[in-house]
């Protein structure tokens, strides 16, 4: 993850060194050398994704009309919009990952991707479950994620009439009520962090709304920890506001696929390594 850009770019190597200094440990070593088990720890995964995403964004060198990010990606988006410094975002997301991991004992929570069920049927199954379970992500039409206590979440996944229910291999049940302790721990740290008005504007997860002030950006990050990611509504709002080209920046290409399911008519590009970086830069210049 990020190896080709790191090897080819002195600016990226300097960014990785700055990240290590901000965190007080060698995240760059974990990203580039592993071991994989250490990288998969939520407290390392979250800053690693933000760091690589921001490195790719800087290397791309474009000025977007607006930014957005899915869950953790909202931090990368706010760095790209100048609302928060990367050196401040990385320690925040490191602790965010740790707090989320510690909020629910290992094995007690679960997340399921629900494919091909009606939204109303999912909501009914969640509300009627005997235990704590919530909708965590409204990802795209026909794809919703639920999260909560393991047995309650499994039961809800079986009762909603889904074509397919897939248990996700995650370290904790994110974006549900079980994350409130993590939200409460993170909130004062967000309050102590300097934010600026995002420019360009951000479309946030928790409200699927256009955000133009520092206070609203900070508040959205607080609330998103235990509330659903409203990705479908967020993308629909951006399209309604005139956005017709989306560039996903960071490891993987999941969001590009989700946006395609939301609206096939918009242009979708993906930057996740040096090869795609060059290709997208050429397409945007053309």
């Amino acid at each position: 993850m990020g190896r080709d850009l790191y090897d080819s770019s002195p600016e990226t190597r300097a960014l990785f060194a700055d990240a290590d200094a901000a965190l007080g440990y060698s995240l760059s070593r974990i990203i580039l050398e592993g071991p994989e088990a250490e990288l998969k720890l939520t407290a390392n995964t979250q800053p690693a994704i933000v760091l690589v995403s921001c490195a790719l964004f800087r290397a791309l060198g474009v000025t977007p009309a607006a930014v957005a990010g899915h869950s953790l990606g909202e931090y990368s988006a706010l760095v790209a919009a100048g609302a928060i410094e990367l050196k401040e975002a990385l320690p925040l997301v490191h602790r965010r990952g740790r707090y989320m991991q510690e909020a629910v004992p290992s094995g007690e929570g679960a997340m399921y991707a629900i494919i091909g069920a009606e939204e109303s049927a999912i909501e009914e199954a969640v509300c009627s479950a005997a235990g704590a379970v919530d909708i965590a992500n409204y990802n795209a039409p026909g794809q919703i994620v639920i999260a909560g206590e393991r047995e309650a979440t499994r039961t809800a996944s079986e009762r909603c009439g889904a074509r397919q229910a897939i248990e996700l291999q995650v370290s904790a049940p994110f974006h549900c009520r079980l994350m409130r302790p993590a939200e409460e721990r993170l909130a004062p740290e967000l309050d102590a962090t300097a934010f600026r008005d995002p420019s360009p504007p951000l479309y946030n997860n928790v409200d699927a709304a256009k955000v133009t002030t520092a206070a609203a950006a900070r508040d959205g990050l607080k609330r998103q920890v235990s509330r659903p990611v409203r990705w479908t509504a967020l993308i629909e709002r951006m399209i309604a506001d005139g956005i017709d080209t989306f560039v996903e920046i960071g490891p993987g290409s999941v969001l590009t696929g989700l946006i395609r399911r939301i609206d096939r008519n918009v242009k979708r590009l993906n930057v996740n390594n040096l090869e795609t970086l060059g290709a997208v830069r050429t397409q945007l210049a053309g």
Side-chain angles (χ1 to χ4, degrees):
M1 186 170 68
R3 164 63 77 177
D4 54 356
L5 186 63
Y6 180 90
D7 288 342
S8 66
S9 167
E11 292 80 10
T12 298
R13 291 194 291 275
L15 199 65
F16 274 48
D18 290 344
D20 291 346
L23 288 164
Y25 72 97
S26 184
L27 178 65
S28 58
R29 176 192 60 78
I30 297 171
I31 293 173
L32 299 170
E33 302 174 13
E36 187 175 354
E38 193 171 357
L39 181 59
K40 284 185 174 180
L41 294 173
T42 307
N44 292 329
T45 304
Q46 295 201 7
I49 290 172
V50 169
L51 174 57
V52 173
S53 299
C54 290
L56 288 165
F57 174 77
R58 293 189 183 190
L60 184 61
V62 300
T63 301
V67 296
H70 188 288
S71 187
L72 171 69
E74 195 158 289
Y75 285 83
S76 305
L78 285 167
V79 172
I84 184 174
E85 296 291 337
L86 179 60
K87 65 183 180 181
E88 296 179 324
L90 290 172
L92 271 176
V93 298
H94 171 73
R95 291 191 292 272
R96 176 182 185 267
R98 180 160 56 86
Y99 298 161
M100 294 171 91
Q101 185 73 66
E102 293 172 354
V104 181
S106 179
E108 292 188 10
M111 298 185 78
Y112 280 79
I114 308 300
I115 311 299
E118 293 293 330
E119 187 174 308
S120 59
I122 299 171
E123 291 171 345
E124 183 179 343
V126 163
C127 290
S128 63
V133 55
D134 300 299
I135 292 180
N137 302 346
Y138 293 89
N139 279 336
Q143 186 186 124
I144 286 176
V145 176
I146 61 175
E149 295 172 348
R150 174 166 295 280
E151 188 58 29
T153 306
R154 183 190 64 78
T155 300
S157 75
E158 294 172 349
R159 292 180 177 175
C160 62
R163 185 173 72 249
Q164 189 178 17
I166 304 166
E167 183 173 2
L168 303 180
Q169 300 305 306
V170 292
S171 57
F174 306 127
H175 300 292
C176 72
R177 72 189 80 172
L178 301 183
M179 288 292 110
R180 284 175 188 157
E183 182 176 307
E184 291 167 1
R185 293 174 73 183
L186 186 64
E189 299 191 16
L190 286 165
D191 284 334
T193 301
F195 277 73
R196 290 168 294 281
D197 295 344
S199 179
L202 167 86
Y203 287 76
N204 73 354
N205 287 186
V206 70
D207 304 308
K210 187 176 182 178
V211 169
T212 59
T213 68
R218 180 190 286 113
D219 179 64
L221 288 181
K222 289 180 186 177
R223 291 184 291 126
Q224 63 139 258
V225 175
S226 68
R227 293 164 178 82
V229 174
R230 299 178 60 201
W231 188 250
T232 303
L234 182 161
I235 295 299
E236 290 174 342
R237 173 71 189 275
M238 294 182 80
I239 293 169
D241 286 351
I243 304 296
D244 60 6
T245 300
F246 292 83
V247 183
E248 178 182 1
I249 301 175
S253 57
V254 171
L255 301 184
T256 303
L258 294 180
I259 293 170
R260 180 177 182 271
R261 295 183 65 171
I262 295 166
D263 191 328
R264 293 173 179 266
N265 296 317
V266 297
K267 188 173 184 178
R268 303 168 306 276
L269 304 171
N270 177 239
V271 175
N272 56 31
N273 56 28
L274 196 60
E275 180 181 356
T276 53
L277 176 71
V280 169
R281 188 186 286 132
T282 299
Q283 290 182 68
L284 293 175

